[in-house]
Amino acid sequence: MRSISLIFKQFSGSVLLLACFTVLGFSAKAQVDAKQGEALFKSAGCAGCHKIDVRMTGPALGPIVSSATDDKWLTNWVHNSQALVTAKDKDALAIFGQYNQSIMPAFPSLSDGDVANILAYVRTEWKTMQAAKPAASAAGAAAAETGPSNLIVYGLIGVIILAFIIILVLNRVIGTLERLLSGKRLLPAEETIIEEVPAAKYTTLKKVLKNKKLVFFILFCGTFALGAWTWFALWNTNVHTGYQPVQPIKFPHDLHAGIMKIDCQYCHSGAYKSKNASIPSLNVCMNCHKTVKTESPEIHKIYDALGYDVQTQKYDSTKAHPIQWIRIHNLPDFVYFNHSQHVKVGGLKCQTCHGPVQTMKEVYQYSPLTMKWCVQCHKRTDINMKGNGYYENMLAVHDLIKKGVKVTPAQLGGIECGKCHY
C-alpha cells in the first residue's frame, strides 16, 4: 500500500505540474490583445509609416506579419532594426536594401507584450481584409446574375405597345358611342367634320382695341417691364455670382478648412505677401497626402500629375503634367486688387470676399465682386490703426506735413513695386 501511495503522489505531482504549464500557456495566449495592439499601432507611430494592405513609407505589414513564423525576430526588429543590420542578419539586410536603406526608428520603449499585441492586431486585420475580398466578389457576381434578361426587356416593350393599341381602340369606340348618343349621323372615314365658326369671334377683341385708355395702360406697363428687364440684364452682365465650374480634382474645402481647421494661407500663401493669393503647388498637397488617404482616386490624380509611384515612392519627371485648374474669381483687366493690402494691412479674413469656404464642398463665387459691392465694403469697414506699421507710418507722415517738414513720395510708399508694376 505504501508503494502505491508513493506512485500516486508522483503521478499527482506530474499531473499538477502539467496543469500549471497548461494554465500558464493559456494565460500567455490570452495576454495577446488585438484591440490593445490597435491602440498601440496608432499611438506609437506605426500608422505614420505603415498600413496593413498598402505600402507607404514602409512595407504593407499584413502579408509580412501573417507569413512570418519567428515573432522573436520581428520583436527584435521593432526594438532596434539597425542592430540586426549591423549584425549582418540576412533577413534584415534584405529588407534594408529593398527599401532603399531607409532606417526604421527604434522602439525600445515597447515591451515584448506590446509588440505581440501589435502583431496580433495586424494579423487579425489582414485576415478580415482577405475574407472580405471573396465576399465582395461573390456579391458582385450575384448582382450580375440577378440583372434583367433580354426576354424580360422585350416582354415589357411588347406590353407597352399592346396597351397603347388598346387605348387607341377604346378611344375610337368611345367616340362612336358619343356620336350615337348625341343623335348625329356617323360619317365615313374619308369625310371630315366641318364646324361652323361663330360670326362674333373677334367682337370682344375689337371692343378692347377701341378703348384707348386701356391700350395706353397695356403699352405703358409693357414698356416699363421691358425697360426694367433690360436694365437688370445689363447691370448683371459679367457678374458671376454662384459660378461653380467642375474642377479636375474635387478638393473639399469643408473638410480641409472646416473640419481639419487648416488655415487658408497654408495653401494660398501668396495672399499674405503678394497681389495674388496663388494656387498651391502639388508639393503642398504631398506634405500630407504622401501618407494620408493614399487609396483615394482623387489623390491618385495628384500622383499622376507629379509622376509619383506609390510603390517605389519615387518621382518620374517624364510623366509629370500640370493640373488644369479652372479660375473662379476673375476681375476685369482694368481692376487692381492686392491681396496683401487687404489681408496683411487691412486684416480682413478670406471669408469677407470669398464667403464661408469652410462649409463649401466645392468652392463657388460667393460675392458679386462689382464696383458697387467694393465701394460699399470700403464705406462700412472700420480701420484698425493700432499696431499697424502701415498706418503708423501714414500718421507720422501727416505729423511731418503739419509741422511743415518736406515729405517725399518715397515716404508715402511711392517706391513700392506694386505702385507701378501690377
mmCIF file of all heavy atoms in Angstrom, residues 104-135:
data_model
loop_
_atom_site.group_PDB
_atom_site.id
_atom_site.type_symbol
_atom_site.label_atom_id
_atom_site.label_comp_id
_atom_site.label_asym_id
_atom_site.label_seq_id
_atom_site.Cartn_x
_atom_site.Cartn_y
_atom_site.Cartn_z
ATOM 1 N N MET A 104 14.494 52.400 -40.138
ATOM 2 C CA MET A 104 13.281 52.379 -39.322
ATOM 3 C C MET A 104 13.635 52.818 -37.908
ATOM 4 O O MET A 104 14.619 52.339 -37.323
ATOM 5 C CB MET A 104 12.699 50.964 -39.302
ATOM 6 C CG MET A 104 11.511 50.811 -38.370
ATOM 7 S SD MET A 104 10.828 49.139 -38.414
ATOM 8 C CE MET A 104 9.714 49.222 -37.002
ATOM 9 N N PRO A 105 12.877 53.751 -37.319
ATOM 10 C CA PRO A 105 13.179 54.189 -35.954
ATOM 11 C C PRO A 105 13.096 53.031 -34.966
ATOM 12 O O PRO A 105 12.299 52.103 -35.135
ATOM 13 C CB PRO A 105 12.100 55.239 -35.665
ATOM 14 C CG PRO A 105 11.574 55.637 -36.993
ATOM 15 C CD PRO A 105 11.726 54.453 -37.883
ATOM 16 N N ALA A 106 13.919 53.082 -33.957
ATOM 17 C CA ALA A 106 13.894 52.060 -32.905
ATOM 18 C C ALA A 106 12.784 52.363 -31.907
ATOM 19 O O ALA A 106 12.472 53.524 -31.635
ATOM 20 C CB ALA A 106 15.244 52.003 -32.198
ATOM 21 N N PHE A 107 12.198 51.308 -31.350
ATOM 22 C CA PHE A 107 11.125 51.441 -30.366
ATOM 23 C C PHE A 107 11.467 50.624 -29.121
ATOM 24 O O PHE A 107 10.812 49.624 -28.810
ATOM 25 C CB PHE A 107 9.791 50.973 -30.950
ATOM 26 C CG PHE A 107 9.280 51.820 -32.076
ATOM 27 C CD1 PHE A 107 9.582 51.502 -33.391
ATOM 28 C CD2 PHE A 107 8.515 52.951 -31.827
ATOM 29 C CE1 PHE A 107 9.130 52.278 -34.435
ATOM 30 C CE2 PHE A 107 8.061 53.738 -32.864
ATOM 31 C CZ PHE A 107 8.367 53.405 -34.175
ATOM 32 N N PRO A 108 12.522 51.031 -28.406
ATOM 33 C CA PRO A 108 12.893 50.252 -27.197
ATOM 34 C C PRO A 108 11.858 50.373 -26.081
ATOM 35 O O PRO A 108 11.835 49.544 -25.165
ATOM 36 C CB PRO A 108 14.228 50.885 -26.788
ATOM 37 C CG PRO A 108 14.175 52.279 -27.351
ATOM 38 C CD PRO A 108 13.404 52.185 -28.620
ATOM 39 N N SER A 109 11.000 51.393 -26.144
ATOM 40 C CA SER A 109 10.001 51.571 -25.077
ATOM 41 C C SER A 109 8.881 50.542 -25.147
ATOM 42 O O SER A 109 8.164 50.339 -24.163
ATOM 43 C CB SER A 109 9.411 52.984 -25.157
ATOM 44 O OG SER A 109 8.791 53.190 -26.416
ATOM 45 N N LEU A 110 8.711 49.890 -26.301
ATOM 46 C CA LEU A 110 7.667 48.870 -26.439
ATOM 47 C C LEU A 110 8.163 47.557 -25.846
ATOM 48 O O LEU A 110 9.248 47.069 -26.193
ATOM 49 C CB LEU A 110 7.299 48.673 -27.908
ATOM 50 C CG LEU A 110 6.621 49.846 -28.630
ATOM 51 C CD1 LEU A 110 6.417 49.511 -30.099
ATOM 52 C CD2 LEU A 110 5.297 50.192 -27.970
ATOM 53 N N SER A 111 7.381 46.982 -24.974
ATOM 54 C CA SER A 111 7.741 45.696 -24.385
ATOM 55 C C SER A 111 7.453 44.571 -25.371
ATOM 56 O O SER A 111 6.834 44.777 -26.418
ATOM 57 C CB SER A 111 6.962 45.477 -23.092
ATOM 58 O OG SER A 111 5.569 45.386 -23.362
ATOM 59 N N ASP A 112 7.915 43.368 -25.009
ATOM 60 C CA ASP A 112 7.630 42.215 -25.865
ATOM 61 C C ASP A 112 6.137 41.981 -25.978
ATOM 62 O O ASP A 112 5.625 41.595 -27.049
ATOM 63 C CB ASP A 112 8.316 40.972 -25.304
ATOM 64 C CG ASP A 112 9.834 41.059 -25.412
ATOM 65 O OD1 ASP A 112 10.315 42.036 -26.023
ATOM 66 O OD2 ASP A 112 10.522 40.170 -24.893
ATOM 67 N N GLY A 113 5.412 42.209 -24.883
ATOM 68 C CA GLY A 113 3.960 42.046 -24.911
ATOM 69 C C GLY A 113 3.289 43.078 -25.815
ATOM 70 O O GLY A 113 2.318 42.755 -26.524
ATOM 71 N N ASP A 114 3.812 44.304 -25.792
ATOM 72 C CA ASP A 114 3.247 45.338 -26.675
ATOM 73 C C ASP A 114 3.426 44.956 -28.140
ATOM 74 O O ASP A 114 2.505 45.095 -28.952
ATOM 75 C CB ASP A 114 3.926 46.689 -26.398
ATOM 76 C CG ASP A 114 3.593 47.230 -25.021
ATOM 77 O OD1 ASP A 114 2.540 46.829 -24.482
ATOM 78 O OD2 ASP A 114 4.374 48.049 -24.501
ATOM 79 N N VAL A 115 4.624 44.470 -28.472
ATOM 80 C CA VAL A 115 4.876 44.068 -29.857
ATOM 81 C C VAL A 115 3.983 42.896 -30.240
ATOM 82 O O VAL A 115 3.440 42.837 -31.353
ATOM 83 C CB VAL A 115 6.360 43.715 -30.051
ATOM 84 C CG1 VAL A 115 6.616 43.217 -31.465
ATOM 85 C CG2 VAL A 115 7.241 44.924 -29.758
ATOM 86 N N ALA A 116 3.785 41.959 -29.301
ATOM 87 C CA ALA A 116 2.911 40.818 -29.579
ATOM 88 C C ALA A 116 1.479 41.280 -29.831
ATOM 89 O O ALA A 116 0.791 40.747 -30.714
ATOM 90 C CB ALA A 116 2.964 39.831 -28.415
ATOM 91 N N ASN A 117 1.016 42.268 -29.082
ATOM 92 C CA ASN A 117 -0.333 42.801 -29.297
ATOM 93 C C ASN A 117 -0.452 43.459 -30.670
ATOM 94 O O ASN A 117 -1.463 43.315 -31.372
ATOM 95 C CB ASN A 117 -0.669 43.813 -28.201
ATOM 96 C CG ASN A 117 -0.855 43.156 -26.850
ATOM 97 O OD1 ASN A 117 -1.177 41.966 -26.773
ATOM 98 N ND2 ASN A 117 -0.652 43.909 -25.782
ATOM 99 N N ILE A 118 0.586 44.190 -31.071
ATOM 100 C CA ILE A 118 0.570 44.846 -32.388
ATOM 101 C C ILE A 118 0.541 43.799 -33.503
ATOM 102 O O ILE A 118 -0.213 43.916 -34.476
ATOM 103 C CB ILE A 118 1.786 45.771 -32.539
ATOM 104 C CG1 ILE A 118 1.686 46.941 -31.551
ATOM 105 C CG2 ILE A 118 1.905 46.293 -33.964
ATOM 106 C CD1 ILE A 118 2.902 47.841 -31.521
ATOM 107 N N LEU A 119 1.345 42.738 -33.354
ATOM 108 C CA LEU A 119 1.350 41.674 -34.349
ATOM 109 C C LEU A 119 -0.001 40.983 -34.436
ATOM 110 O O LEU A 119 -0.477 40.641 -35.528
ATOM 111 C CB LEU A 119 2.451 40.654 -34.027
ATOM 112 C CG LEU A 119 3.897 41.173 -34.067
ATOM 113 C CD1 LEU A 119 4.866 40.056 -33.682
ATOM 114 C CD2 LEU A 119 4.243 41.723 -35.445
ATOM 115 N N ALA A 120 -0.630 40.790 -33.256
ATOM 116 C CA ALA A 120 -1.959 40.168 -33.252
ATOM 117 C C ALA A 120 -2.973 41.049 -33.964
ATOM 118 O O ALA A 120 -3.828 40.556 -34.717
ATOM 119 C CB ALA A 120 -2.399 39.914 -31.817
ATOM 120 N N TYR A 121 -2.887 42.357 -33.762
ATOM 121 C CA TYR A 121 -3.805 43.289 -34.451
ATOM 122 C C TYR A 121 -3.595 43.246 -35.958
ATOM 123 O O TYR A 121 -4.567 43.180 -36.725
ATOM 124 C CB TYR A 121 -3.578 44.707 -33.926
ATOM 125 C CG TYR A 121 -4.115 45.784 -34.846
ATOM 126 C CD1 TYR A 121 -5.479 45.948 -35.044
ATOM 127 C CD2 TYR A 121 -3.234 46.619 -35.554
ATOM 128 C CE1 TYR A 121 -5.966 46.919 -35.905
ATOM 129 C CE2 TYR A 121 -3.719 47.592 -36.403
ATOM 130 C CZ TYR A 121 -5.085 47.735 -36.574
ATOM 131 O OH TYR A 121 -5.566 48.693 -37.433
ATOM 132 N N VAL A 122 -2.332 43.246 -36.407
ATOM 133 C CA VAL A 122 -2.045 43.219 -37.843
ATOM 134 C C VAL A 122 -2.575 41.935 -38.466
ATOM 135 O O VAL A 122 -3.206 41.953 -39.537
ATOM 136 C CB VAL A 122 -0.533 43.364 -38.090
ATOM 137 C CG1 VAL A 122 -0.193 43.144 -39.559
ATOM 138 C CG2 VAL A 122 -0.045 44.736 -37.642
ATOM 139 N N ARG A 123 -2.358 40.797 -37.802
ATOM 140 C CA ARG A 123 -2.827 39.527 -38.345
ATOM 141 C C ARG A 123 -4.345 39.470 -38.399
ATOM 142 O O ARG A 123 -4.932 38.983 -39.373
ATOM 143 C CB ARG A 123 -2.275 38.381 -37.500
ATOM 144 C CG ARG A 123 -0.779 38.147 -37.725
ATOM 145 C CD ARG A 123 -0.224 37.086 -36.821
ATOM 146 N NE ARG A 123 1.192 36.855 -37.121
ATOM 147 C CZ ARG A 123 2.134 36.686 -36.198
ATOM 148 N NH1 ARG A 123 1.816 36.739 -34.906
ATOM 149 N NH2 ARG A 123 3.386 36.479 -36.558
ATOM 150 N N THR A 124 -4.999 39.995 -37.356
ATOM 151 C CA THR A 124 -6.465 39.990 -37.329
ATOM 152 C C THR A 124 -7.034 40.859 -38.454
ATOM 153 O O THR A 124 -7.962 40.456 -39.163
ATOM 154 C CB THR A 124 -6.970 40.501 -35.974
ATOM 155 O OG1 THR A 124 -6.426 39.684 -34.931
ATOM 156 C CG2 THR A 124 -8.491 40.443 -35.902
ATOM 157 N N GLU A 125 -6.472 42.051 -38.635
ATOM 158 C CA GLU A 125 -6.949 42.947 -39.688
ATOM 159 C C GLU A 125 -6.706 42.360 -41.074
ATOM 160 O O GLU A 125 -7.543 42.464 -41.967
ATOM 161 C CB GLU A 125 -6.250 44.308 -39.572
ATOM 162 C CG GLU A 125 -6.771 45.167 -38.446
ATOM 163 C CD GLU A 125 -8.216 45.588 -38.660
ATOM 164 O OE1 GLU A 125 -8.519 46.149 -39.726
ATOM 165 O OE2 GLU A 125 -9.034 45.324 -37.775
ATOM 166 N N TRP A 126 -5.552 41.716 -41.252
ATOM 167 C CA TRP A 126 -5.236 41.149 -42.560
ATOM 168 C C TRP A 126 -6.185 39.991 -42.904
ATOM 169 O O TRP A 126 -6.642 39.870 -44.040
ATOM 170 C CB TRP A 126 -3.793 40.669 -42.560
ATOM 171 C CG TRP A 126 -3.366 40.036 -43.851
ATOM 172 C CD1 TRP A 126 -3.030 38.742 -44.069
ATOM 173 C CD2 TRP A 126 -3.233 40.687 -45.123
ATOM 174 N NE1 TRP A 126 -2.687 38.527 -45.369
ATOM 175 C CE2 TRP A 126 -2.811 39.712 -46.058
ATOM 176 C CE3 TRP A 126 -3.417 41.992 -45.575
ATOM 177 C CZ2 TRP A 126 -2.579 39.990 -47.396
ATOM 178 C CZ3 TRP A 126 -3.186 42.278 -46.913
ATOM 179 C CH2 TRP A 126 -2.783 41.293 -47.800
ATOM 180 N N LYS A 127 -6.496 39.161 -41.905
ATOM 181 C CA LYS A 127 -7.446 38.064 -42.145
ATOM 182 C C LYS A 127 -8.818 38.614 -42.496
ATOM 183 O O LYS A 127 -9.515 38.084 -43.378
ATOM 184 C CB LYS A 127 -7.529 37.171 -40.906
ATOM 185 C CG LYS A 127 -6.297 36.317 -40.677
ATOM 186 C CD LYS A 127 -6.453 35.451 -39.432
ATOM 187 C CE LYS A 127 -5.213 34.597 -39.192
ATOM 188 N NZ LYS A 127 -5.344 33.784 -37.953
ATOM 189 N N THR A 128 -9.240 39.689 -41.805
ATOM 190 C CA THR A 128 -10.540 40.301 -42.096
ATOM 191 C C THR A 128 -10.587 40.848 -43.520
ATOM 192 O O THR A 128 -11.574 40.679 -44.236
ATOM 193 C CB THR A 128 -10.824 41.419 -41.082
ATOM 194 O OG1 THR A 128 -10.749 40.898 -39.757
ATOM 195 C CG2 THR A 128 -12.209 42.018 -41.306
ATOM 196 N N MET A 129 -9.491 41.513 -43.931
ATOM 197 C CA MET A 129 -9.441 42.065 -45.287
ATOM 198 C C MET A 129 -9.468 40.967 -46.341
ATOM 199 O O MET A 129 -10.144 41.081 -47.364
ATOM 200 C CB MET A 129 -8.184 42.925 -45.459
ATOM 201 C CG MET A 129 -8.178 44.191 -44.640
ATOM 202 S SD MET A 129 -6.621 45.095 -44.812
ATOM 203 C CE MET A 129 -6.922 46.499 -43.736
ATOM 204 N N GLN A 130 -8.723 39.880 -46.100
ATOM 205 C CA GLN A 130 -8.687 38.791 -47.062
ATOM 206 C C GLN A 130 -10.030 38.081 -47.163
ATOM 207 O O GLN A 130 -10.443 37.649 -48.237
ATOM 208 C CB GLN A 130 -7.597 37.776 -46.653
ATOM 209 C CG GLN A 130 -6.181 38.333 -46.756
ATOM 210 C CD GLN A 130 -5.838 38.764 -48.175
ATOM 211 O OE1 GLN A 130 -5.774 39.946 -48.467
ATOM 212 N NE2 GLN A 130 -5.624 37.810 -49.050
ATOM 213 N N ALA A 131 -10.724 37.982 -46.010
ATOM 214 C CA ALA A 131 -12.039 37.334 -46.026
ATOM 215 C C ALA A 131 -13.082 38.200 -46.711
ATOM 216 O O ALA A 131 -14.042 37.695 -47.292
ATOM 217 C CB ALA A 131 -12.478 37.016 -44.604
ATOM 218 N N ALA A 132 -12.891 39.526 -46.657
ATOM 219 C CA ALA A 132 -13.881 40.435 -47.259
ATOM 220 C C ALA A 132 -13.782 40.448 -48.782
ATOM 221 O O ALA A 132 -14.770 40.702 -49.464
ATOM 222 C CB ALA A 132 -13.698 41.855 -46.717
ATOM 223 N N LYS A 133 -12.602 40.148 -49.342
ATOM 224 C CA LYS A 133 -12.441 40.196 -50.798
ATOM 225 C C LYS A 133 -13.276 39.154 -51.520
ATOM 226 O O LYS A 133 -14.012 39.482 -52.458
ATOM 227 C CB LYS A 133 -10.963 40.040 -51.165
ATOM 228 C CG LYS A 133 -10.123 41.257 -50.808
ATOM 229 C CD LYS A 133 -8.679 41.053 -51.207
ATOM 230 C CE LYS A 133 -7.840 42.298 -50.859
ATOM 231 N NZ LYS A 133 -6.415 42.110 -51.206
ATOM 232 N N PRO A 134 -13.266 37.861 -51.115
ATOM 233 C CA PRO A 134 -14.148 36.892 -51.793
ATOM 234 C C PRO A 134 -15.617 37.202 -51.616
ATOM 235 O O PRO A 134 -16.418 36.999 -52.523
ATOM 236 C CB PRO A 134 -13.778 35.557 -51.130
ATOM 237 C CG PRO A 134 -12.433 35.770 -50.532
ATOM 238 C CD PRO A 134 -12.375 37.212 -50.154
ATOM 239 N N ALA A 135 -15.977 37.726 -50.422
ATOM 240 C CA ALA A 135 -17.382 38.067 -50.191
ATOM 241 C C ALA A 135 -17.830 39.180 -51.120
ATOM 242 O O ALA A 135 -18.935 39.151 -51.678
ATOM 243 C CB ALA A 135 -17.570 38.485 -48.728
#
